[in-house]
Amino acid sequence: MQQLVTRSKELKEAVLKYPSKYLFILCLLGLTLFRLILSAKTAYYVNLFAGYDDQLFIDFGNELLQGHWLGDYSTRALSKGISYSLFMVLGNKVHLSYGILLGLFNILASGVSTFALRPLIKNRWLLIAIYSFFLYSPITFTGEYSTRIYRNTIVVPTVLLVIGCLIGLYFRRNGKLKTFIPWSIGLGFIFPFYWYIREDSLWLLPLLLVGLIIIAGGVIFENAQDLTFRKSLASLKKTAMSRTQLVKLFLCTLPFLLLFTTHVVLKNTNEARYGIAVVNDRTGGAFGQVSKQLIRMDDGTDLNETNSKIWVSHKALEKAEAVSPTLRTISTKIDWIYHGSTWSHGEDIAGDIIFWALREAAAHAGYYTDAKKTEAFWQKVNKELANAYKTKQLTKKKEIYLAATGDGKRIKDLPLVGEFMKSGWSYNVFYKGYQQSNDPTVGPQGELEKAETLLLHSFANNWRDSSKPNPKPIELTTTAKIANTIIKLYQKLVPLWLIIFSIGFLLILFGSIFSKSNSSTFRSLLLLIVGLSLSYVIFLIGVSWFCSWTPERRDLFMMVYTGGGVPVIQWIEVLALVGIFQLPRIASKVNKKS
């Protein structure tokens, strides 16, 4: 009892002596706990009729839990990335509900990103402000990237972590090895996880590659002063690198080594389970090659010039059948797509949906039960189409292509892509249209129970039996109302925030040119902002290019598909803010010990 009284007295004296320190800890814990509670209490929803989306990942997760890998081979088995299902399985294995696990993941991403800036920002209150900015980002409260049980929910924290680890590594490139190792290991593990969330992860690769090359260069020339290109070549010849430098250089390759290792492991696992060494048999493998050939085919009509929505027309498939005896063996099933299936009622199918329909047609013809047989079928089709191109039986459309299995564009289509980019930018910067709604969970009772078991989460409050007419409307929860209030606060503060960003960017730009004492820091910030901006442009072009096949759904698609750009924008804004606090007079004041 006496010890308890003594400790209580000591704690009281410490609080009185260092009140700001304990107030900081209290604020940090309060902000973190409140965010975790919001995540835990969120009304998540899932569409258990979406066999190629929500339901697919639930099925993957349950198969993984049972030790069946991704289940029996089908049109769905190797069609999408595995990271999201592994994320759900992790929560189940450690007995954390989906909401708690997602909340902890967001907290981890925000914390790591904030700590990455510790070499530049010493003031704890400024750090907690940056932490809060990331942690309560509107995108993490918005349905598609928050409440829907779908892979998009982990895109934002994962992108935040990739950038955070890269920036943390950059600002510690010339530091001690013990401070360099955690950031490189973190980047090494999070990048492969990010890569296999979606199939369009390529846009972040240039940033990582160039960033690690710059970091490696900084490690090699860390002792060189006033380095120019000519001096760097002379210095490189004389450089005798220490063991620490060599270890750092190896660690710079870790993300690519682990990505390659992950790729090999997935291929070998799929080969052992299904008989084909393919990670994704929709965008990769023989079917991916066939898709590429079909997209580029000139179908002999003016459809490509008059209707950019159609990636592969029915006429193109008929031409493919004419030159491919193997594809012709399933011609009746291809005809079924247009006359008898739910994919079409006789009209051409827009966008990439045609590929899902084509896979299902092949399944109806007896494929997609045996992976080897299916892969061999598409390999034959691919070879026959390739030969037809060589012999001029088929000709290619005159279009510009960004990806192998993505649509091509003509010059006249580029203004439309620009309109999509403008729309996506407004969503990302102004959080336009972001909100948390009262979305229902739909699906059969049996499938619902499987999802609840996997996720350790109950959908009882928002499940609606689709077989019963006029279901009772779902009321907006208190958690959703709080989330929407936070989103509105961010939206209202955007104009002020953009002014601060503009001031910060100008200071960084002028500091990079005119600063004598702190030019290297300003140039580092400018380099990071430019790199992130270019990555964002690549991202926005890619998303706009893909989505522009449906102009009437531009706003919906750009809100849904551009969420991964929000953490990039927020990082750019935060770096501009950090630039303001690098001014000597301001830095000397904000970084004083409390």
Side-chain angles (χ1 to χ4, degrees):
M1 185 67 180
Q2 182 64 35
Q3 288 181 343
L4 186 62
V5 172
T6 302
R7 288 180 181 177
S8 179
K9 185 177 180 181
E10 289 174 352
L11 180 61
K12 184 178 179 181
E13 289 175 353
V15 171
L16 291 173
K17 188 175 181 181
Y18 303 107
S20 63
K21 177 182 177 181
Y22 288 92
L23 181 60
F24 168 78
I25 294 173
L26 187 63
C27 287
L28 181 62
L29 290 175
L31 286 166
T32 303
L33 184 60
F34 184 59
R35 184 66 184 89
L36 187 59
I37 291 171
L38 289 178
S39 185
K41 296 291 184 180
T42 290
Y44 297 99
Y45 71 97
V46 60
N47 182 355
L48 295 171
F49 291 119
Y52 286 107
D53 292 312
D54 308 33
Q55 179 64 57
L56 175 67
F57 293 106
I58 296 293
D59 287 345
F60 279 178
N62 281 317
E63 295 290 355
L64 286 165
L65 276 179
Q66 295 169 29
H68 299 159
W69 190 226
L70 302 177
D72 295 332
Y73 186 70
S74 67
T75 56
R76 306 193 312 153
L78 300 179
S79 63
K80 291 192 176 181
I82 195 174
S83 291
Y84 185 55
S85 296
L86 290 175
F87 178 80
M88 293 189 288
V89 169
L90 172 64
N92 186 282
K93 288 291 187 180
V94 298
H95 305 290
L96 289 176
S97 70
Y98 179 82
I100 292 290
L101 182 65
L102 184 60
L104 289 174
F105 194 39
N106 276 307
I107 290 167
L108 173 67
S110 302
V112 167
S113 296
T114 304
F115 197 69
L117 296 168
R118 193 72 173 84
L120 299 184
I121 299 293
K122 308 297 182 185
N123 185 279
R124 60 170 72 104
W125 294 106
L126 181 55
L127 286 172
I128 202 172
I130 294 171
Y131 172 68
S132 303
F133 177 66
F134 284 135
L135 186 60
Y136 287 87
S137 173
I139 192 65
T140 63
F141 290 109
T142 300
E144 186 67 25
Y145 287 85
S146 168
T147 55
R148 181 185 174 189
I149 305 297
Y150 191 57
R151 60 183 177 178
N152 287 346
T153 54
I154 61 172
V155 167
V156 171
T158 307
V159 171
L160 198 61
L161 271 173
V162 170
I163 298 174
C165 287
L166 183 63
I167 290 176
L169 194 64
Y170 175 79
F171 285 120
R172 291 160 180 82
R173 64 193 184 280
N174 299 138
K176 294 180 180 178
L177 185 60
K178 66 179 182 179
T179 62
F180 191 89
I181 289 175
W183 295 95
S184 59
I185 291 177
L187 185 59
F189 279 99
I190 196 61
F191 187 67
F193 179 77
Y194 153 80
W195 191 264
Y196 290 108
I197 296 175
R198 295 179 55 88
E199 293 74 52
D200 56 359
S201 302
L202 186 65
W203 66 273
L204 208 51
L205 182 62
L207 177 70
L208 188 73
L209 181 60
V210 174
L212 287 172
I213 289 174
I214 291 171
I215 291 169
V219 170
I220 294 171
F221 301 111
E222 63 181 17
N223 298 318
Q225 301 293 326
D226 300 322
L227 206 61
T228 63
F229 178 72
R230 187 173 295 178
K231 288 182 179 179
S232 67
L233 292 177
S235 179
L236 184 60
K237 292 178 182 178
K238 298 177 182 179
T239 297
M241 285 183 283
S242 65
R243 183 180 299 176
T244 297
Q245 287 173 299
L246 290 173
V247 172
K248 284 183 177 180
L249 290 176
F250 169 75
L251 289 172
C252 284
T253 67
L254 195 59
F256 304 111
L257 289 175
L258 291 181
L259 177 61
F260 175 75
T261 302
T262 303
H263 185 76
V264 170
V265 168
L266 289 174
K267 283 180 66 175
N268 290 343
T269 303
N270 289 336
E271 186 174 23
R273 181 72 173 83
Y274 304 115
I276 56 172
V278 175
V279 174
N280 186 309
D281 74 347
R282 179 174 59 89
T283 57
F287 183 80
Q289 291 299 314
V290 170
S291 300
K292 178 181 177 180
Q293 307 257 33
L294 293 174
I295 285 175
R296 286 158 173 73
M297 186 191 300
D298 185 346
D299 65 2
T301 72
D302 64 350
L303 182 65
N304 184 50
E305 297 180 11
T306 59
N307 189 351
S308 60
K309 294 182 181 181
I310 309 303
W311 291 16
V312 179
S313 66
H314 190 187
K315 185 69 175 178
L317 288 176
E318 289 177 344
K319 290 193 72 173
E321 289 177 42
V323 298
S324 171
T326 305
L327 186 63
R328 198 158 54 245
T329 61
I330 65 167
S331 60
T332 57
K333 302 304 178 183
I334 292 176
D335 187 62
W336 162 83
I337 293 175
Y338 298 94
H339 307 286
S341 78
T342 57
W343 296 103
S344 170
H345 298 290
E347 74 282 0
D348 279 314
I349 299 174
D352 67 332
I353 300 171
I354 182 61
F355 300 125
W356 296 100
L358 189 57
R359 287 162 68 87
E360 191 169 324
H364 278 254
Y367 297 99
Y368 286 100
T369 56
D370 183 310
K372 284 185 176 180
K373 176 184 174 183
T374 304
E375 185 70 7
F377 169 78
W378 290 120
Q379 283 176 350
K380 287 182 180 179
V381 173
N382 180 54
K383 185 177 181 180
E384 290 164 356
L385 292 178
N387 288 334
Y389 277 110
K390 287 180 181 178
T391 57
K392 306 299 182 182
Q393 291 176 278
L394 295 178
T395 56
K396 295 183 179 181
K397 294 182 285 190
K398 296 179 180 179
E399 292 183 330
I400 305 167
Y401 295 91
L402 294 184
T405 56
D407 186 30
K409 301 293 180 189
R410 299 168 67 89
I411 298 297
K412 70 179 183 64
D413 298 323
L414 298 184
L416 180 61
V417 175
E419 291 177 18
F420 272 73
M421 290 179 65
K422 182 180 178 182
S423 176
W425 181 81
S426 66
Y427 279 108
N428 289 169
V429 174
F430 297 97
Y431 312 115
K432 176 185 169 185
Y434 288 2
Q435 65 174 342
Q436 196 169 122
S437 305
N438 49 348
D439 301 282
T441 287
V442 293
Q445 181 71 42
E447 296 298 326
L448 181 73
E449 292 173 359
K450 290 179 183 179
E452 290 180 331
T453 301
L454 171 65
L455 301 170
L456 304 178
H457 174 83
S458 174
F459 295 99
N461 292 329
N462 66 354
W463 177 65
R464 290 296 178 266
D465 188 345
S466 57
S467 64
K468 295 181 179 179
N470 302 318
K472 182 181 177 182
I474 299 172
E475 294 183 5
L476 202 64
T477 64
T478 301
T479 304
K481 291 176 182 177
I482 294 172
N484 287 333
T485 300
I486 294 170
I487 292 172
K488 287 179 182 177
L489 178 62
Y490 270 74
Q491 290 170 335
K492 289 181 178 180
L493 289 176
V494 165
L496 176 61
W497 185 234
L498 290 179
I499 292 173
I500 294 172
F501 162 77
S502 300
I503 293 171
F505 179 75
L506 288 174
L507 288 174
I508 290 171
L509 186 60
F510 284 112
S512 300
I513 301 171
F514 300 111
S515 177
K516 295 180 180 179
S517 60
N518 210 19
S519 61
S520 62
T521 301
F522 283 121
R523 288 170 186 171
S524 292
L525 290 170
L526 182 62
L527 178 67
L528 290 170
I529 289 174
V530 170
L532 286 168
S533 299
L534 290 174
S535 295
Y536 179 73
V537 170
I538 293 171
F539 168 77
L540 205 55
I541 290 174
V543 175
S544 302
W545 197 280
F546 171 79
C547 293
S548 58
W549 62 268
T550 174
E552 69 277 6
R553 290 190 283 178
R554 181 187 64 192
D555 288 331
L556 173 63
F557 271 34
M558 294 313 287
M559 183 177 73
V560 168
Y561 287 107
T562 59
V566 173
V568 184
I569 292 293
Q570 291 190 315
W571 256 115
I572 292 171
E573 293 169 340
V574 164
L575 289 171
L577 175 68
V578 170
I580 295 175
F581 292 94
Q582 298 311 298
L583 293 174
R585 288 188 179 181
I586 297 177
S588 64
K589 292 182 180 180
V590 299
N591 289 327
K592 280 183 179 178
K593 282 191 175 182
S594 302

